[in-house]
Amino acid sequence: MFLPKYPDSPTPPPAHTHTATEAAPVRRSLPSVSVDHKTVVALVVGGVVLTALLAAVAVTAISVAVAAVVLRSMLRDHHRR
């Protein structure tokens, strides 16, 4: 019958050894950006315009969905007669 082989030493060797790591590279800071009054106004106006366009698309989608439901109901009633 086969017997398992056990190691001669009672404690196993360490799984990993500590090695010296290199120092982390120094991160450069980003260059400073001067924000102008006109830039802020342009960003706010752009945000308002994009929000208005998104709202217009949402309202259009809802109205098309309602129109589709109404037309479907009208056609269903028309085919029953």
Side-chain angles (χ1 to χ4, degrees):
M1 186 170 209
F2 297 107
L3 293 175
K5 291 183 179 181
Y6 294 107
D8 293 334
S9 63
T11 58
H16 59 76
T17 58
H18 294 284
T19 57
T21 58
E22 294 180 16
V26 177
R27 298 185 80 188
R28 295 185 211 165
S29 62
L30 295 174
S32 61
V33 178
S34 61
V35 178
D36 193 12
H37 177 70
K38 293 178 182 179
T39 306
V40 173
V41 170
L43 286 175
V44 169
V45 169
V48 169
V49 169
L50 289 177
T51 304
L53 287 173
L54 180 64
V57 169
V59 168
T60 303
I62 291 170
S63 64
V64 167
V66 169
V69 169
V70 169
L71 285 174
R72 182 177 169 190
S73 175
M74 289 172 61
L75 289 174
R76 187 178 58 214
D77 289 344
H78 179 69
H79 288 302
R80 285 185 183 176
R81 292 182 185 179

